[in-house]
Amino acid sequence: PVPSPVPSPIPSPVPAPVPSPIPSPVPSPVPAPAPTTTEVPPGQCSTERYDFGEVLRLSNLFYEAQRSGKLPADNRIPWRGDSSLGDVGNNGEDLTGGYHDAGDYVKFGLPMASAMTVLAYGGISYEDAYKSAGQYSYLQDAVKWGTDYLIKAHVSPNEFYCQVGNGDVDHAYPGRPETMTVNRPAYMLNANNPGSDCAGESAASLASAAVLFKDTDPAYSATLIQHAKELFNFADTYRGHYSNSIADASKFYKSDRYEDELIWAAAWLYKATGDN
């Protein structure tokens, strides 16, 4: 038999050459925008994330909203009015003014004095910052509103009203301070009813305020030092816990020691007077 012919191999197709990609034109670099100048509010650094000048402004307004007594003509809280104009001592002493406490209307002496000390301390430590923020004079006003009242409450060298208003009676009243007519007794500390913590903290408050006002109101600073010295001597001579002498205070701001307030007051008096 004749063998079948062997088929010729079919040549593989040769792939067509792939053309090289044409490079796209490189765009010209876009110039960076020129820096713009933004006006920075007074008292605020351009790199600050938060406006602490506004924080100080609102903090001062908070204290102004807590004021008790006859409000000044430049009152900045439009919804507040005069309140507690009948606050008097056991012998008719004028005890108007000062600050209401914690959203109610009692004037508790120990926390009020402590707040004034810390406010004055901030103004002394950061005077330039307060001034840069435009808040230094408002800070002084806030401190003076409290220390004016503490001076009123210090009716003699060894007599000091540490509280006006009864906590239970006050908390049962649901209205505004401007329309309040509840009874507001005044509670005095004296040699027989000592309160080294309340009197000592009040001495610290007045002494620190004396430092705060020494350049702007030297006469007021001298008055503050006089009362601070007398209150410190009273607190140191007749030692005791104020909340043992004022039973109502023990329900709200009970104290179990007074040494820290005496040391605090002594330190502020030394800073204010240089007298050891």
Side-chain angles (χ1 to χ4, degrees):
V2 178
S4 300
V6 178
S8 300
I10 300 173
S12 300
V14 178
V18 179
S20 300
I22 300 173
S24 301
V26 178
S28 301
V30 178
T36 59
T37 302
T38 303
E39 185 175 350
V40 179
Q44 183 182 359
C45 297
S46 60
T47 57
E48 285 182 0
R49 182 177 178 186
Y50 304 107
D51 185 351
F52 289 106
E54 178 67 358
V55 173
L56 291 177
R57 186 184 74 85
L58 294 175
S59 297
N60 283 328
L61 285 175
F62 169 82
Y63 280 94
E64 292 179 30
Q66 294 293 107
R67 284 176 173 176
S68 178
K70 179 71 175 176
L71 299 185
D74 61 355
N75 168 46
R76 299 190 294 164
I77 310 297
W79 45 266
R80 278 305 320 278
D82 301 341
S83 62
S84 303
L85 299 182
D87 285 356
V88 295
N90 301 329
N91 298 308
E93 302 97 335
D94 176 14
L95 297 179
T96 58
Y99 287 100
H100 297 139
D101 177 81
D104 51 46
Y105 310 131
V106 178
K107 293 190 289 199
F108 288 108
L110 181 59
M112 187 194 306
S114 177
M116 296 304 101
T117 310
V118 173
L119 281 178
Y121 193 9
I124 294 164
S125 301
Y126 302 103
E127 179 178 345
D128 290 343
Y130 269 98
K131 288 181 176 178
S132 178
Q135 294 300 311
Y136 188 72
S137 63
Y138 293 118
L139 172 74
Q140 286 188 311
D141 289 344
V143 172
K144 192 173 186 296
W145 192 267
T147 53
D148 281 352
Y149 168 77
L150 295 178
I151 290 173
K152 285 184 179 182
H154 184 216
V155 295
S156 76
N158 295 329
E159 292 181 318
F160 180 67
Y161 284 100
C162 186
Q163 181 176 325
V164 176
N166 178 279
D168 292 329
V169 173
D170 181 89
H171 293 172
Y173 170 71
R176 302 173 66 240
E178 291 81 0
T179 58
M180 179 171 55
T181 59
V182 301
N183 182 45
R184 289 171 62 80
Y187 301 89
M188 177 189 282
L189 301 175
N190 53 33
N192 297 320
N193 299 284
S196 301
D197 28 27
C198 185
E201 185 63 55
S202 298
S205 175
L206 297 175
S208 61
V211 178
L212 185 71
F213 285 97
K214 68 178 181 179
D215 294 329
T216 58
D217 194 342
Y220 186 59
S221 179
T223 298
L224 291 165
I225 289 173
Q226 174 192 346
H227 283 275
K229 286 182 175 181
E230 290 181 358
L231 273 171
F232 176 77
N233 289 334
F234 167 52
D236 192 31
T237 303
Y238 302 99
R239 296 194 175 191
H241 302 120
Y242 91 104
S243 53
N244 290 340
S245 297
I246 303 175
D248 187 67
S250 66
K251 302 176 186 179
F252 306 97
Y253 292 102
K254 186 175 182 179
S255 175
D256 60 1
R257 58 180 55 87
Y258 50 74
E259 292 81 2
D260 49 342
E261 280 86 10
L262 290 177
I263 294 169
W264 185 232
W268 275 112
L269 273 168
Y270 179 73
K271 184 172 181 63
T273 66
D275 181 3
N276 58 9

